[in-house]
Amino acid sequence: MSVSAFFGLDMALRALQAQQTGIDVTNHNVSNANTAGFSRQNVTIATTEPFASPAMNRPAQPGQIGTGAIAKNIERARDTFLDVQYRTESGSLTNATNRQDALEQVETVLDEPQGVGLSSLFNEYYRVWSELSNDPSANALPVRTTVVEQSLSLTTAMNRISSQLSTVRSEQDAQIQDDVKQVNDITDQIAQLNSSIVQIEINGQTANDFRDRRDLLMDQLSQLVQVSSTENADGSIVVSMGSQVLVNGVSGKTDLFTQPNAGNGGMVDVTFGSGGPAATVGNAGIAGRLTARDTLIPKYQTQLNTLASNLITATNALHMAGYDVNGNPGQAFFTGTDASNISVNPAIQANPSMIAAANVAGAPGNNEVALSIIKLQSSMSPPLPSGTPTSETAYNSMVAGVGTDSRSAGNEAETQRSLVDLLDRRRESVSGVSLDEEAVGLVRYQRAYEAAARVLTAYDELLDKLINSTGTVGR
């Protein structure tokens, strides 16, 4: 048994097809050089089985004859270890960024130190009390009116800050619900891609582009919740959030749900499945929002409410022990219980002469109560227990705490961003498309294609000679 005369044609055809595949893949790489999540694809060109196979009737010739090459497979350039690192650090970055964003909103609400925050209002509040102490007589009604107006400015600012902090917290809650919807949308797409990949790869092909889409979705998902994935033999993946399986290959998926918690002011809890256990969201974006909503902002709300409550208690205790210009016992100067509802007594707003500046009835020039209220600026004990911080001290401590928390979150975000950028560059060096390299590869495939075409031409001429010029003797 000898090699066919058409043997070379088959070999040239395989060469043309292999190099054409290389050109097509290069074209695909160039087309997607700026496509997010795209991984550079490489063609593996391998030799085909040589001729002839070992057998009793193999031709008597020295060694085997090569039969050329084929494009064996097309593979993605991907490093799964870098993917795992990137997703972990990217989730931590989103966590820190979300906390930083929430804290920056709180800083805007407080409007310190450049804006008109509570610090300047407290100074004005005690300043007008000082003016009243200088002239507490009945003739000082304009000063008393100023005391009422400045006190209203202070309480209104507290009401505003309290309301805005609640709004910031509610916005975090709304964003958590949006993030949960996004998680479910992403896992839906991953489950669909799992099915598509299995259908394609069951025939021996590799679904490179679908795998890229799935990896990009995993990158996006990891910014919301901390996830891990394992690949099944059929090409599908299992996506887990701790021990909770979000996507189980092609078998199904479990959604996250948000359920209002009456014990947390109606804010939502994130659960694994409807009515299921708490979702183990890990260290990622949703966790950052939960920390801001349930830990950081409530801390500042508590501090502000304590500040307002102490001011109400201390001022009312002194004011109710005094007498107004008409000799009547003093009423509560402030109403309310905390920063959300603190205000000036409506009766005093309507009649500023009811401000009790004296500690003795029938002594219009007495200013002892006014002086005692002024002293609250430097010490609230008495009437509050010893060691109780003044309103200004408590507020300044609160502002400093917000600044420290914000700076800490910002530093963490900056550090994580540098790490994520480094990992992204490493991934790009593995999976990214270099147009220069693709241009060189294109030339290589082009020249190989041209050479295979020349071989095909040579065989054509050979066969032409064999068919048309052989056996013509005697004609």
Side-chain angles (χ1 to χ4, degrees):
M1 184 178 192
S2 61
V3 176
S4 167
F6 294 94
F7 178 78
L9 286 176
D10 293 334
M11 192 185 307
L13 174 62
R14 283 192 290 272
L16 288 172
Q17 291 172 334
Q19 306 311 318
Q20 179 66 57
T21 301
I23 292 172
D24 292 339
V25 170
T26 300
N27 185 16
H28 185 56
N29 287 342
V30 172
S31 299
N32 290 278
N34 296 313
T35 301
F38 179 77
S39 302
R40 186 182 74 256
Q41 297 180 10
N42 300 311
V43 179
T44 301
I45 297 179
T47 57
T48 52
E49 292 295 324
F51 180 81
S53 299
M56 294 293 295
N57 62 341
R58 64 184 178 86
Q61 60 187 23
Q64 293 178 309
I65 300 176
T67 57
I70 59 170
K72 186 175 182 181
N73 55 44
I74 303 171
E75 298 178 335
R76 298 187 305 158
R78 198 85 188 189
D79 188 325
T80 56
F81 179 69
L82 282 176
D83 286 340
V84 172
Q85 282 188 305
Y86 175 84
R87 290 165 187 164
T88 300
E89 302 305 333
S90 179
S92 298
L93 170 60
T94 311
N95 183 312
T97 301
N98 286 348
R99 284 184 284 117
Q100 182 186 21
D101 290 343
L103 291 166
E104 287 177 349
Q105 292 181 57
V106 173
E107 289 182 308
T108 301
V109 168
L110 297 180
D111 199 21
E112 297 286 355
Q114 303 299 328
V116 184
L118 287 183
S119 292
S120 60
L121 292 174
F122 272 121
N123 289 332
E124 285 298 305
Y125 170 74
Y126 287 113
R127 183 188 65 77
V128 295
W129 273 105
S130 178
E131 288 184 0
L132 179 61
S133 70
N134 293 332
D135 186 7
S137 66
N139 297 325
L141 186 58
V143 177
R144 291 172 179 270
T145 301
T146 302
V147 170
V148 171
E149 291 175 349
Q150 193 59 48
S151 300
L152 280 172
S153 296
L154 177 62
T155 58
T156 301
M158 288 186 181
N159 300 157
R160 173 185 58 79
I161 292 174
S162 176
S163 174
Q164 290 178 336
L165 287 178
S166 296
T167 299
V168 173
R169 189 164 184 246
S170 296
E171 289 174 351
Q172 292 297 311
D173 188 68
Q175 289 172 332
I176 288 170
Q177 296 179 58
D178 289 342
D179 286 348
V180 167
K181 292 177 182 178
Q182 190 174 354
V183 167
N184 294 335
D185 180 60
I186 291 174
T187 53
D188 281 341
Q189 295 180 63
I190 291 175
Q192 293 170 6
L193 284 169
N194 272 347
S195 298
S196 299
I197 290 169
V198 169
Q199 291 174 6
I200 292 171
E201 296 191 352
I202 196 171
N203 296 318
Q205 296 177 313
T206 304
N208 291 317
D209 291 332
F210 282 168
R211 283 175 172 268
D212 281 345
R213 294 181 196 175
R214 189 174 65 184
D215 282 332
L216 180 60
L217 289 170
M218 284 295 297
D219 290 348
Q220 297 170 357
L221 182 62
S222 66
Q223 294 179 7
L224 299 169
V225 292
Q226 188 172 357
V227 291
S228 60
S229 65
T230 55
E231 184 169 337
N232 297 321
D234 59 6
S236 65
I237 61 172
V238 176
V239 182
S240 301
M241 194 174 57
S243 60
Q244 299 169 342
V245 178
L246 291 173
V247 181
N248 188 12
V250 295
S251 301
K253 63 182 290 289
T254 302
D255 285 337
L256 301 185
F257 284 78
T258 55
Q259 300 178 351
N261 184 343
N264 192 20
M267 302 292 170
V268 298
D269 292 334
V270 181
T271 63
F272 180 68
S274 179
T280 54
V281 295
N283 182 25
I286 291 180
R289 297 198 192 282
L290 288 170
T291 299
R293 188 197 71 179
D294 296 338
T295 303
L296 296 175
I297 298 174
K299 177 177 68 174
Y300 310 136
Q301 289 177 309
T302 298
Q303 292 174 350
L304 183 65
N305 286 334
T306 300
L307 179 158
S309 176
N310 288 343
L311 180 65
I312 293 169
T313 301
T315 303
N316 286 351
L318 295 172
H319 195 265
M320 293 171 69
Y323 298 86
D324 63 20
V325 294
N326 297 316
N328 298 316
Q331 299 184 19
F333 184 80
F334 289 119
T335 59
T337 57
D338 56 32
S340 67
N341 57 14
I342 183 176
S343 185
V344 177
N345 190 327
I348 295 177
Q349 292 184 48
N351 185 9
S353 65
M354 295 177 63
I355 295 176
N359 66 344
V360 178
N366 188 295
N367 63 357
E368 291 300 320
V369 171
L371 290 174
S372 296
I373 290 176
I374 294 170
K375 291 178 181 178
L376 295 178
Q377 186 173 17
S378 59
S379 176
M380 282 203 166
S381 49
L384 295 181
S386 177
T388 301
T390 66
S391 300
E392 287 181 287
T393 301
Y395 179 69
N396 290 337
S397 176
M398 172 184 168
V399 171
V402 173
T404 299
D405 289 341
S406 179
R407 185 166 56 254
S408 176
N411 290 339
E412 182 181 344
E414 185 177 354
T415 301
Q416 284 299 127
R417 187 172 291 106
S418 298
L419 182 55
V420 169
D421 288 345
L422 173 62
L423 291 171
D424 189 45
R425 288 194 297 272
R426 288 183 177 177
R427 290 210 308 175
E428 185 67 17
S429 68
V430 173
S431 303
V433 176
S434 168
L435 294 179
D436 291 338
E437 291 180 4
E438 296 303 320
V440 172
L442 184 61
V443 171
R444 185 173 66 249
Y445 290 128
Q446 178 186 356
R447 293 307 183 191
Y449 186 93
E450 292 172 350
R454 292 292 296 274
V455 171
L456 186 62
T457 301
Y459 271 98
D460 177 55
E461 293 178 357
L462 184 152
L463 290 173
D464 177 68
K465 192 69 173 178
L466 179 66
I467 294 171
N468 296 317
S469 300
T470 303
T472 61
V473 177
R475 288 198 307 179

